[in-house]
């Protein structure tokens, strides 16, 4: 069975051949090979590639902000306030004479920070709650899912507002509030995935070998949930960005001197009529980045989770 | 109303057909429906209790010192002590929570620091504005979104489908407050097609005496067409904005439900029988889609009541959302938490209603 396959597949040698072999020598090689084939599928989707480029661009801009930004994002030149776009200031300046392009470039850092922080706090919480509930079942399941439902029954933004009100405005608290309100869907998802594998033979085999509950959950159940969770988190990132920007706009997220995009829109509001660019340009940045995450998420879903109705 | 509807079916059916033989399965079904109702309300109660626990924790436990928040940091020690005892903070936590729940059920949400009136009165005053906006937006969203979703499903992979997809993608990626600002800039400031922020022109607001609080309804009742058209011009932009977001969601869901139905064999049967294509789509398939769609529409309505926080801020719309935000910016915790409870309660109530409607309209779910 090996012969005819290798005849066509191993034509290119080297790294590509190593990735495409159907007789992997190690677990690592098999995993890399699977990733490679996933990438090949992903690459065919042009919109998803566009999304990926936008997200990569965001990361690059955030990383190299000090090198890319032509001006100081926090200190402006008051003589140059509220200027329209020109060769010196591509997107014009705001009411403090700060270059809007530079502020956008630095703002990418805050956007990325919010997204990453929420993702690495909310997703593990949801994963843990969901897998534990699904694995043990019974009253543990009932209790945990009840708590999840309560959080789910809440309007997200209002709950985040209430949290921020109690904790005080600021970027860190906004992140915390968003994370506290966005884990329940992940818990639901992880529980559903757990229920499908809970009765599988490999779980029973691992248990017979004497694996503890904790190791079983972490080592054998959680990996089964990750791909659908990654898709869901990516699709949610646009929503997280919009919520964070909304909190910033209401004055409850990042505080004024920081060049956070939502706060920039809020600051530019009063100059909307005559200096429209101050408020509208940051909104375009938010839109482009959210669109990037949405496109990327759609593409990832088609690759990792084809069951979930790929054409949506 | 829903209670009667739930139990009405079996109750009226069995005695009319007569006979003791029929009564017993009828009674079993009645019992089952009752049990179901009990369970639904039970879970509703638990969810609402959870909501209260969260607001209680946010209001009493999370702030470093709720007394300081109330009296300010320059209050003398005896005032501080008095307020400390008045707020019941010397009691154990569970007792504080119990008192809190009792007060909420008595409709006592505390007094707003900002308006120095009971929070509930404030909310009753501002809620109609939110309700008016969300209702109009939902009606628009359903009227446009459902046909668009159907067309997208029928012409799958062609331009109507792509249009709906792009609309949905934009709906999920555009910041609502930004779109609102751009809309104001374009249609109010530059083109002057619609009214600006607020529910009425400032000059009119002073002379208008609200009855229900729904200005459009009030103006019609009083026969004041000038006020009516003024209110229409003010509500057009925010309602269109919210309708867009609800349309994007409803169209997307309608499309995927329709695709599922159109692949069913009964559709094929109908076509083979020679039923016209329009009837197959709009009657047979859409008829089956309507039931799950109720849940989607209810969810989007509930989200509008929430999502309007940002829209109301942009359009200076004096509804629940701007009330919560302005209280928040003034550290008026009673008002914020009261608003949170009301919004959460409305959210839970709409979910329950959609659940009951689902059972009512779908004969399969009744069993």
């Amino acid at each position: 069975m090996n012969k005819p396959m290798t005849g066509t597949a191993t034509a290119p040698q080297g790294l590509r051949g190593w990735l495409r072999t159907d007789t992997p020598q190690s677990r690592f090689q098999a995993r890399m090979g699977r990733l490679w084939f996933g990438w090949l599928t992903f690459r065919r989707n042009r919109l998803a590639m566009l999304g990926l480029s936008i997200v990569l661009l965001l990361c690059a801009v955030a990383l190299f902000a000090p090198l890319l930004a032509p001006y100081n994002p926090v200190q402006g030149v008051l003589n140059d306030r509220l200027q329209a776009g020109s060769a010196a200031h591509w997107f014009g300046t705001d009411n403090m004479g700060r270059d809007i392009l530079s502020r956008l470039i630095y703002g990418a850092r805050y956007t990325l920070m919010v997204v990453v922080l929420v993702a690495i706090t909310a997703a593990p919480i949801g994963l843990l709650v969901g897998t534990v509930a699904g694995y043990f079942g019974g009253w543990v399941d009932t209790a945990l899912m009840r708590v999840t439902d309560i959080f789910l029954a809440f309007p997200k933004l209002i709950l985040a507002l209430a949290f921020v009100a109690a904790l005080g405005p600021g970027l860190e608290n906004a992140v915390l509030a968003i994370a506290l309100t966005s884990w329940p869907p992940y818990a639901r998802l992880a529980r559903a995935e757990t229920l499908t594998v809970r009765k599988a033979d490999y779980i029973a085999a691992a248990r017979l070998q004497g694996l503890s509950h904790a190791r079983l959950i972490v080592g054998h159940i959680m990996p089964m949930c990750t791909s659908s969770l990654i898709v869901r988190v990516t699709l949610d990132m646009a929503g997280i960005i919009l919520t964070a920007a909304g909190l910033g706009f209401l004055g409850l997220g990042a505080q004024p001197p920081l060049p956070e995009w939502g706060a920039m829109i809020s600051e530019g509001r009063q100059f909307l009529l005559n200096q429209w660019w101050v408020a509208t340009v940051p909104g375009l940045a938010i839109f482009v980045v959210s669109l990037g995450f949405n496109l990327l998420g759609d593409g990832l879903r088609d690759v990792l989770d084809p069951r979930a109705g790929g054409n949506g | 109303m829903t209670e009667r509807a739930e139990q009405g079916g079996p109750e009226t059916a069995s005695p009319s057909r007569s006979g003791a033989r029929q009564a017993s399965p009828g009674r079993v079904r009645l019992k089952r429906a009752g049990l179901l109702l009990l369970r639904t309300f039970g879970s509703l109660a638990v969810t609402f209790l959870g909501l209260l626990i969260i607001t209680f924790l946010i209001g009493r436990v999370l702030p470093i010192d709720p007394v300081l928040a109330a009296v300010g940091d320059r209050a003398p020690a005896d005032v501080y002590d008095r307020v400390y005892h008045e707020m019941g903070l010397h009691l154990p936590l569970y007792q504080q929570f119990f008192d809190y729940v009792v007060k909420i059920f008595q409709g006592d949400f505390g007094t707003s620091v900002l308006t120095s009136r009971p929070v509930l009165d404030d909310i009753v005053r501002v809620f109609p504005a939110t309700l008016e906006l969300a209702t109009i937006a939902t009606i628009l969203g359903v009227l446009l979104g459902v046909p668009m979703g159907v067309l997208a499903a029928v012409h799958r992979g062609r331009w109507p489908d792509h249009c709906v997809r792009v609309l949905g993608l934009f709906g999920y990626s555009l910041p609502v407050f930004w779109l609102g600002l751009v809309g104001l800039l374009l249609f109010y400031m530059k083109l002057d097609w619609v009214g600006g922020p607020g529910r009425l022109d400032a000059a009119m607001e002073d002379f208008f005496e609200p009855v229900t609080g729904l200005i459009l309804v009030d103006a019609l009742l009083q026969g004041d067409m000038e006020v009516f058209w003024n209110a229409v011009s003010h509500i057009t932009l925010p309602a269109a904005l919210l309708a867009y977001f609800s349309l994007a969601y409803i169209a997307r869901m309608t499309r995927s439900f329709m695709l599922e139905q159109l692949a069913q064999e009964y559709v094929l049967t109908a076509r083979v029988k020679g039923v016209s294509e329009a009837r197959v789509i709009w009657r047979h398939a859409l008829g089956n889609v309507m039931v799950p769609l109720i849940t989607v529409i209810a969810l989007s309505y509930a989200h509008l009541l929430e999502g309007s926080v940002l829209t109301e801020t942009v359009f200076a719309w004096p509804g629940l959302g701007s009330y919560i935000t302005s209280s928040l910016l003034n550290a008026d915790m009673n008002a914020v938490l009261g608003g949170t409870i009301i919004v959460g309660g409305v959210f839970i109530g709409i979910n329950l209603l959609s659940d009951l409607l689902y059972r009512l309209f779908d004969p399969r779910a009744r069993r």
Side-chain angles (χ1 to χ4, degrees):
Chain A
M1 191 221 138
N2 247 336
K3 277 281 153 65
M5 285 294 288
T6 43
T8 53
T10 49
Q13 286 299 315
L15 181 63
R16 192 164 293 187
W18 182 78
L19 284 167
R20 296 177 66 160
T21 178
D22 53 357
T23 51
Q25 300 301 310
S26 66
R27 204 187 273 188
F28 175 73
Q29 189 182 356
R31 208 169 276 169
M32 287 298 119
R34 271 205 52 170
L35 271 181
W36 170 251
F37 282 110
W39 165 247
L40 288 183
T41 321
F42 183 82
R43 213 173 51 175
R44 277 205 301 267
N45 186 341
R46 260 181 296 167
L47 281 177
M49 285 302 284
L50 177 68
L52 182 66
S53 343
I54 293 174
V55 172
L56 287 179
L57 189 70
L58 175 79
C59 297
V61 166
L63 196 62
F64 300 115
L67 299 175
L68 291 170
Y71 297 91
N72 185 320
V74 184
Q75 259 180 339
V77 181
L78 276 177
N79 278 341
D80 294 343
R81 68 195 292 267
L82 295 173
Q83 282 188 355
S86 64
H89 302 281
W90 288 5
F91 292 135
T93 57
D94 68 2
N95 55 321
M96 310 282 272
R98 296 171 295 202
D99 179 48
I100 290 177
L101 177 66
S102 305
R103 283 175 71 73
L104 283 184
I105 289 173
Y106 273 92
R109 294 190 151 185
Y110 298 101
T111 301
L112 197 64
M113 190 182 104
V114 167
V115 167
V116 170
L117 283 180
V118 170
I120 62 173
T121 43
I125 296 176
L127 187 61
L128 189 69
V129 171
T131 47
V132 167
Y135 176 78
F136 287 109
W139 66 267
V140 179
D141 187 25
T142 312
L144 285 177
M145 281 302 114
R146 202 23 81 204
V147 174
T148 310
D149 281 347
I150 289 168
F151 272 88
L152 214 54
F154 248 116
K156 220 167 139 180
L157 188 63
I158 298 274
L159 191 59
L161 282 179
F163 273 121
V164 172
L167 300 168
L171 196 60
E172 296 81 7
N173 289 341
V175 167
L176 199 61
I178 297 173
L180 277 172
T181 52
S182 52
W183 63 268
Y186 306 141
R188 276 266 182 96
L189 191 68
R191 176 175 174 269
E193 293 280 330
T194 307
L195 288 181
T196 60
V197 299
R198 189 170 72 147
K199 294 269 186 277
D201 286 344
Y202 83 94
I203 297 287
R207 196 181 291 150
L208 284 175
Q209 283 182 334
L211 228 59
S212 69
H213 289 314
R215 286 204 53 183
L216 204 61
I217 290 176
V218 173
H220 294 256
I221 290 182
M222 280 188 181
M224 302 304 285
C225 309
T226 41
S227 70
S228 52
L229 204 67
I230 287 174
V231 171
R232 185 63 199 257
V233 169
T234 316
L235 283 172
D236 277 358
M237 279 183 174
I240 294 169
I241 291 173
L242 294 183
T243 312
L247 286 175
F249 177 75
L250 293 174
L252 299 164
Q255 293 302 297
L258 292 185
E260 196 269 329
W261 294 345
M264 283 170 72
I265 297 180
S266 163
E267 281 173 63
R269 253 179 100 177
Q270 41 187 319
F271 313 106
L272 191 62
L273 183 55
N274 296 314
Q275 288 88 22
W276 53 269
W277 56 89
V278 184
T280 46
V281 172
L284 284 178
I286 297 175
F287 169 59
V288 169
V289 171
S290 306
L291 194 65
F293 276 110
N294 272 327
L295 292 175
L296 178 65
D298 276 345
L300 279 181
R301 183 183 52 196
D302 292 348
V303 174
L304 292 173
D305 201 10
R307 279 167 298 153
N311 49 46
Chain B
M1 163 220 131
T2 43
E3 195 170 336
R4 245 187 303 122
E6 262 291 304
Q7 302 183 339
E11 210 168 19
T12 48
S14 49
S16 62
R17 263 186 231 140
S18 90
R21 271 189 309 137
Q22 293 267 329
S24 77
R27 198 172 297 154
V28 169
R29 265 165 74 188
L30 191 71
K31 207 171 157 189
R32 205 176 287 160
L35 216 68
L36 201 77
L37 210 65
L38 211 68
R39 259 179 65 179
T40 317
F41 277 112
S43 83
L44 170 85
V46 172
T47 313
F48 193 69
L49 205 66
L51 175 75
L52 291 183
I53 291 177
I54 294 175
T55 52
F56 172 74
L57 287 178
I58 292 175
R60 296 284 177 87
V61 184
L62 276 185
I64 299 135
D65 193 338
V67 181
L68 217 57
V71 298
D73 50 3
R74 277 190 226 146
D78 59 316
V79 174
Y80 183 95
D81 281 342
R82 191 163 53 79
V83 174
Y84 185 84
H85 280 269
E86 264 174 22
M87 290 174 88
L89 290 174
H90 58 289
L91 297 169
L93 211 55
Y94 67 88
Q95 204 163 343
Q96 285 186 40
F97 179 67
F98 183 75
D99 292 345
Y100 177 74
V101 172
V102 168
K103 268 191 170 175
I104 295 293
F105 275 102
Q106 286 167 349
D108 180 5
F109 291 68
T111 309
S112 161
V113 180
L114 198 60
T115 61
S116 62
R117 289 199 299 190
V119 169
L120 196 62
D121 289 4
D122 276 349
I123 290 177
V124 167
R125 195 170 43 87
V126 297
F127 192 65
T130 300
L131 195 67
E132 194 172 36
L133 195 57
T135 308
I136 290 179
T138 303
I139 292 172
L140 283 176
V142 172
L143 287 183
L144 294 172
V146 173
M148 279 169 65
V150 171
L151 286 179
V154 172
H155 302 281
R156 183 181 185 183
R158 271 169 291 162
W159 67 266
D161 194 13
H162 294 309
C163 284
V164 168
R165 197 175 168 188
V166 169
L167 270 180
L169 211 52
F170 278 36
Y172 283 106
S173 308
L174 281 166
V176 55
F177 52 96
W178 179 79
L179 206 56
L181 283 178
V182 172
L184 273 180
L185 176 67
L186 223 62
F187 296 114
Y188 168 61
M189 292 177 177
K190 299 281 185 201
L191 297 170
D192 201 21
W193 287 355
V194 297
R199 301 177 76 186
L200 285 173
D201 284 354
M204 247 174 224
E205 219 152 38
D206 298 336
F207 297 107
F208 188 69
E209 204 59 50
V211 186
T212 58
L214 303 166
I215 288 192
L216 291 176
V217 176
D218 286 354
L220 279 184
L221 284 179
Q222 294 169 13
D224 196 337
M225 291 319 279
E226 202 186 342
V227 170
F228 178 77
W229 289 114
N230 190 265
V232 167
S233 84
H234 276 268
I235 205 171
T236 305
L237 199 54
L241 187 68
L242 289 180
Y244 168 57
F245 287 94
S246 119
L247 173 157
Y249 175 60
I250 291 175
R252 198 169 154 139
M253 297 311 282
T254 309
R255 173 186 176 275
S256 79
F257 290 150
M258 275 300 280
L259 282 179
E260 205 175 289
Q261 291 299 326
L262 287 176
Q264 300 282 325
E265 283 184 342
Y266 74 84
V267 170
L268 189 67
T269 312
R271 280 181 180 149
V272 168
K273 266 198 326 190
V275 177
S276 74
E277 191 60 20
R279 201 175 156 81
V280 169
I281 292 166
W282 297 100
R283 182 78 192 218
H284 292 215
L286 189 64
N288 276 313
V289 165
M290 269 345 245
V291 175
L293 213 53
I294 289 172
T295 317
V296 167
I297 292 168
L299 205 66
S300 116
Y301 188 47
H303 272 291
L304 283 188
L305 292 173
E306 164 207 14
S308 44
V309 170
L310 289 164
T311 313
E312 284 179 7
T313 311
V314 170
F315 289 96
W317 196 260
L320 193 54
S322 8
Y323 178 69
I324 292 178
T325 346
S326 66
S327 312
L328 201 62
L329 292 172
N330 292 289
D332 190 351
M333 277 315 271
N334 280 342
V336 174
L337 294 179
T340 308
I341 292 172
I342 295 292
V343 174
V346 168
F347 209 76
I348 295 170
I350 289 179
N351 273 328
L352 175 78
L353 196 68
S354 82
D355 206 38
L356 292 177
L357 281 178
Y358 188 102
R359 295 232 167 84
L360 195 68
F361 282 111
D362 191 348
R364 286 163 302 182
R366 246 181 263 160
R367 260 179 269 133

